[in-house]
Amino acid sequence: MVTLFRRHLAAKLFLSYLVIIVVGVMVLASAAELTIPSSFDRHMSAMSAWMMNMMGDSGMMMEMDLFTNFRAAVREALAYAALAAFMVAVLASLLVSRQVVAPVKAMTSASQRIAEGHYDERVHLSGDLDEGQQDELSQLARSFNQMAAQLEKIETLRRQLIGDVAHELRTPLTTIKGSIEGLIDGVLPMEVETFQQIYKEADRLQKLVTDLQELSRVEAGAYELSPQPMEISQLVEMTVARIERQFEEKGVNLETDVSPDLPHVLVDEDRFGQIMLNLVGNALQYTPSGGKVIIRANHVGNEVQVVVSDTGIGIPVDQQSQIFTRFYRVDKSRSRVGGGSGIGLTVAKHLVEAHGGRIWVQSQGQGKGSTFTFTLAVAS
């Protein structure tokens, strides 16, 4: 019963009104008990002289007069008692309603502050009850604080994104500008190598802009998926055919272990290729020459798990939760030329989730390789 009143606002309101009624009745009864004797005595003394002169009249006449005065006394007492009970009930109602309305007013004020850009605003949670024992208002306040924390996080990421984009654009632009100034001043020779360097930086700049555009479309969901039943082994073979030359040039071994007997998966072919190219390309990027990348697929329940493992630089345990954050890179000492834009894994995560799947990473730590796994639903 105690838990019921703690967890439900309706029960609390019912209890509060019941308390008000009980208090009102108790005050009414107490006031009547205290005022009836004095009221009756006052009315009886007022008619005492009249009673002395009427001693000879009939008993019924005296009884009626006594009853009339007693009824008047009770009515007077009840009037005072009702007034006292009304005042006490109003006071109790104000106190109870204040307890109910105060958290709502606090959330209204906090929401206004958040709307003005103060994302660190929070609503105070009263009491030390566990989450399962809190009433609706406390649960609403907790949810409000969670929403505010998420908004604060998004705002922080937005500011960080602006800074990251500015940094990413500044590097190739500075290189291009410096090379052109060198050509104008005659410091750099007008040779093929110089123009190739400028072209390379311009190509990096174009690729970064393309990646940012793709990230914006993916995060906004501004793309169409056309899931079709597909054979996972054929999809993996298509990915290998597109990227195996890059593995040969770097000297990294690419292997596959995908059974043709796996059930078909419901997937958009182009988006699957984009997911695989991002994951396999990331594995190639961080795997040194002589290393190995393996693509596997397993049937687990009503899903097919696609696994991309490498023998690369690995990921520290404390950084694995951030690996899918845009622009995040494990090896921060590496330049963007060798480390990519840091957007591919973010895009892959959104595309996997758009298919209704999950994606995660596992690594034993720095220098021990990484394993990226994502799931796809089995086609019915």
Side-chain angles (χ1 to χ4, degrees):
M1 183 63 70
V2 175
T3 304
L4 176 65
F5 286 114
R6 283 181 174 177
R7 296 183 58 183
H8 297 284
L9 179 61
K12 282 189 173 183
L13 290 175
F14 173 78
L15 179 62
S16 64
Y17 295 142
L18 184 62
V19 169
I20 292 174
I21 294 173
V22 171
V23 170
V25 171
M26 291 178 62
V27 172
L28 180 63
S30 300
E33 185 69 23
L34 293 174
T35 56
I36 282 177
S38 59
S39 299
F40 183 75
D41 290 341
R42 186 170 63 256
H43 281 273
M44 291 299 296
S45 61
M47 60 175 297
S48 59
W50 178 82
M51 289 181 64
M52 291 295 295
N53 296 327
M54 299 294 294
M55 286 295 291
D57 293 350
S58 66
M60 182 169 295
M61 204 55 190
M62 181 178 294
E63 182 178 352
M64 292 178 60
D65 290 335
L66 288 174
F67 176 75
T68 301
N69 283 274
F70 178 76
R71 185 172 57 182
V74 171
R75 287 177 177 177
E76 181 181 344
L78 288 177
Y80 286 115
L83 179 62
F86 177 78
M87 295 177 62
V88 173
V90 169
L91 180 61
S93 300
L94 289 176
L95 293 176
V96 172
S97 61
R98 184 176 180 181
Q99 293 295 322
V100 175
V101 174
V104 178
K105 287 186 176 180
M107 280 183 280
T108 302
S109 176
S111 63
Q112 183 64 35
R113 291 273 297 170
I114 292 176
E116 294 173 355
H118 303 280
Y119 296 102
D120 58 342
E121 189 74 18
R122 297 292 184 273
V123 177
H124 175 67
L125 291 173
S126 60
D128 299 325
L129 297 177
D130 296 334
E131 185 174 355
Q133 295 181 328
Q134 293 176 345
D135 60 23
E136 288 86 345
L137 284 177
S138 298
Q139 293 174 8
L140 177 60
R142 183 178 294 276
S143 298
F144 182 91
N145 287 342
Q146 292 174 350
M147 179 197 68
Q150 188 66 22
L151 288 175
E152 185 179 15
K153 181 180 178 180
I154 292 174
E155 176 65 14
T156 302
L157 290 176
R158 184 188 68 83
R159 294 176 181 175
Q160 182 181 353
L161 174 62
I162 294 174
D164 289 338
V165 170
H167 175 74
E168 298 300 327
L169 295 176
R170 186 184 301 114
T171 302
L173 286 174
T174 301
T175 303
I176 293 173
K177 182 180 179 182
S179 299
I180 293 177
E181 289 177 350
L183 289 172
I184 294 175
D185 297 336
V187 177
L188 293 177
M190 300 184 66
E191 298 177 351
V192 176
E193 290 78 6
T194 303
F195 292 108
Q196 285 179 342
Q197 179 65 25
I198 296 176
Y199 178 82
K200 185 178 181 180
E201 293 298 328
D203 186 62
R204 283 181 57 201
L205 188 60
Q206 183 181 24
K207 185 178 185 304
L208 176 61
V209 172
T210 302
D211 288 344
L212 287 171
Q213 185 179 20
E214 181 65 18
L215 176 63
S216 176
R217 292 177 63 247
V218 168
E219 289 188 331
Y223 59 90
E224 293 184 1
L225 285 179
S226 300
Q228 300 291 334
M230 304 287 295
E231 188 175 337
I232 194 69
S233 59
Q234 292 182 356
L235 294 172
V236 172
E237 288 176 3
M238 294 170 58
T239 301
V240 171
R242 295 174 62 181
I243 203 171
E244 61 181 350
R245 184 176 178 181
Q246 299 178 32
F247 277 82
E248 293 174 357
E249 292 176 352
K250 189 174 181 180
V252 177
N253 186 28
L254 177 60
E255 299 178 2
T256 61
D257 181 14
V258 181
S259 172
D261 298 329
L262 290 174
H264 286 54
V265 293
L266 196 62
V267 66
D268 184 294
E269 180 179 349
D270 293 336
R271 295 303 178 181
F272 178 86
Q274 190 174 359
I275 294 169
M276 290 299 296
L277 286 177
N278 285 339
L279 295 180
V280 178
N282 181 77
L284 173 63
Q285 198 77 55
Y286 290 103
T287 300
S289 178
K292 181 171 61 176
V293 175
I294 304 177
I295 303 175
R296 299 186 178 90
N298 307 301
H299 183 203
V300 180
N302 59 348
E303 297 177 332
V304 170
Q305 294 185 354
V306 183
V307 184
V308 179
S309 301
D310 63 67
T311 58
I313 65 173
I315 306 172
V317 177
D318 60 341
Q319 298 184 34
Q320 293 179 16
S321 61
Q322 307 176 51
I323 198 64
F324 295 103
T325 304
R326 61 174 78 94
F327 292 112
Y328 185 83
R329 299 189 317 144
V330 175
D331 190 357
K332 299 178 175 60
S333 64
R334 293 168 62 90
S335 66
R336 288 293 180 191
V337 178
S341 63
I343 295 176
L345 293 180
T346 307
V347 172
K349 179 177 184 292
H350 282 280
L351 291 178
V352 169
E353 292 177 348
H355 283 84
R358 300 166 290 117
I359 185 170
W360 64 92
V361 62
Q362 293 173 310
S363 177
Q364 298 299 318
Q366 199 79 22
K368 297 182 179 180
S370 305
T371 299
F372 286 85
T373 306
F374 68 93
T375 65
L376 294 171
V378 172
S380 56

